């Protein structure tokens, strides 16, 4: 059996501060339960097939380009959102949304798995033409503990990268590894969608295994952060 590389825990502040201590700091700074998902550093997939991430140095506030993002997945949550007209990036709320991709709230609401708006081929492109995707957009919000940061970074996984994310989780499961036991790298790959437009897709990759102490802390912090930040329905552009 091949021995998997173990991660250097000293690179992660998670190794120095456990979940209760971090929550105490957050409550002192924000008040009980007042830290919001929108307060986190948020990283989105670039457009046009770009293969470089734009991250923010939280100490300087400056933009930092990166070929890959590396960290520990603390928690993730599926979400759905539907706008009757094409979403323009403004503040208008969706007509229907779901914080678990199972039950929709709004119009039409109900069972997401049976909803006709969740069927492929119901999407509409910029020109008003039928597209190959879903009218009700499915995404993932992923919380990642990155080296040097105590608070997680939020990574928005768009519909075009969901299959890659699922394949990665399948690969981890096949090896008997929880995502909270691993350091994961997220890189970008340029591909063409069904209409010939270049898009950037996320490619997750296993880097190394966490030791038992780090896994325990990641598990505890992930549960707390999911309850604190991922329960309300959120949108990638909030």
């Amino acid at each position: 059996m091949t021995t998997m590389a173990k991660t250097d825990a000293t690179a992660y502040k998670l190794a120095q501060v456990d979940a209760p201590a971090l929550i105490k700091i957050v409550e002192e700074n924000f008040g009980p339960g007042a830290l919001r998902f929108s307060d986190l550093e948020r990283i989105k997939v670039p457009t046009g097939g770009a293969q470089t991430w734009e991250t923010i140095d939280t100490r300087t506030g400056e933009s930092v380009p990166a070929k890959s993002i590396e960290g520990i997945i603390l928690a993730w949550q599926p979400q759905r959102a539907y706008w009757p007209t094409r979403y323009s990036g403004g503040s208008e709320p969706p007509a229907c949304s779901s914080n678990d991709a199972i039950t929709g709230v709004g119009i039409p609401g109900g069972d997401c798995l049976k909803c006709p708006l969740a069927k492929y081929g119901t999407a509409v492109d910029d020109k008003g033409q039928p597209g190959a995707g879903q009218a009700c957009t499915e995404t993932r919000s992923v919380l990642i503990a990155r080296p040097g940061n105590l608070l997680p970074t939020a990574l928005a996984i768009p519909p075009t990268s969901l299959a890659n994310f699922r394949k990665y989780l399948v690969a981890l499961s096949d090896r008997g590894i929880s995502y909270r036991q691993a350091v994961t790298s997220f890189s970008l790959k340029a591909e063409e969608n069904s209409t010939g437009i270049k898009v950037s897709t996320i490619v997750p990759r296993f880097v190394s295994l966490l030791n038992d102490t780090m896994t325990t802390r990641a598990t505890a912090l992930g549960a707390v952060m999911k309850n604190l930040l991922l329960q309300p329905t959120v949108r990638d552009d909030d």
Side-chain angles (χ1 to χ4, degrees):
M1 179 177 177
T2 303
T3 301
M4 287 181 282
K6 291 291 183 76
T7 258
D8 178 9
T10 58
Y12 287 86
K13 286 191 175 181
L14 181 61
Q16 305 162 21
V17 180
D18 59 16
L22 178 55
I23 293 304
K24 182 178 180 181
I25 292 170
V26 168
E27 289 185 347
E28 287 178 352
N29 288 338
F30 292 90
L35 177 66
R36 299 175 181 174
F37 184 83
S38 58
D39 293 325
L40 301 178
E41 178 193 359
R42 306 182 71 185
I43 301 176
K44 298 178 184 179
V45 173
T47 59
Q51 298 178 58
T52 301
W53 297 100
E54 287 295 329
T55 65
I56 300 295
D57 186 324
T58 55
R59 292 163 294 184
T60 66
E62 295 180 353
S63 178
V64 180
K67 280 294 185 182
S68 65
I69 299 167
E70 192 171 293
I72 305 163
I73 299 174
L74 297 176
W76 63 268
Q77 181 151 309
Q79 288 147 344
R80 281 191 174 277
Y82 167 67
W83 287 266
T85 57
R86 185 166 180 81
Y87 177 56
S88 60
S91 58
E92 70 275 15
C96 186
S97 60
S98 173
N99 66 355
D100 57 10
I102 297 174
T103 304
V105 177
I107 300 173
D111 189 342
C112 294
L113 300 178
K114 296 180 180 179
C115 180
L117 298 173
K119 292 182 178 180
Y120 286 94
T122 57
V124 177
D125 65 19
D126 292 328
K127 298 179 180 179
Q129 299 299 313
Q134 301 163 300
C136 182
T137 304
E138 183 180 3
T139 58
R140 294 285 187 279
S141 288
V142 182
L143 299 182
I144 303 171
R146 297 170 62 203
N149 295 346
L150 267 178
L151 290 178
T153 295
L155 174 62
I157 298 185
T160 50
S161 294
L162 290 180
N164 285 353
F165 187 61
R166 287 185 63 86
K167 287 177 183 176
Y168 175 63
L169 296 180
V170 168
L172 287 182
S173 300
D174 192 47
R175 299 170 72 178
I177 300 172
S178 163
Y179 62 81
R180 289 174 177 161
Q181 289 180 283
V183 173
T184 301
S185 171
F186 298 88
S187 59
L188 294 165
K189 180 181 179 182
E191 295 182 347
E192 285 191 0
N193 64 15
S194 59
T195 60
I197 298 175
K198 279 192 173 182
V199 296
S200 305
T201 57
I202 300 174
V203 182
R205 181 177 62 85
F206 173 82
V207 176
S208 59
L209 200 62
L210 298 177
N211 61 36
D212 291 343
T213 299
M214 285 287 286
T215 296
T216 298
R217 290 197 170 189
T219 300
L221 183 58
V224 169
M225 286 297 168
K226 183 168 185 176
N227 182 64
L228 180 65
L229 297 169
L230 289 182
Q231 293 309 306
T233 297
V234 296
R235 187 173 64 212
D236 289 341
D237 293 276
D238 282 347

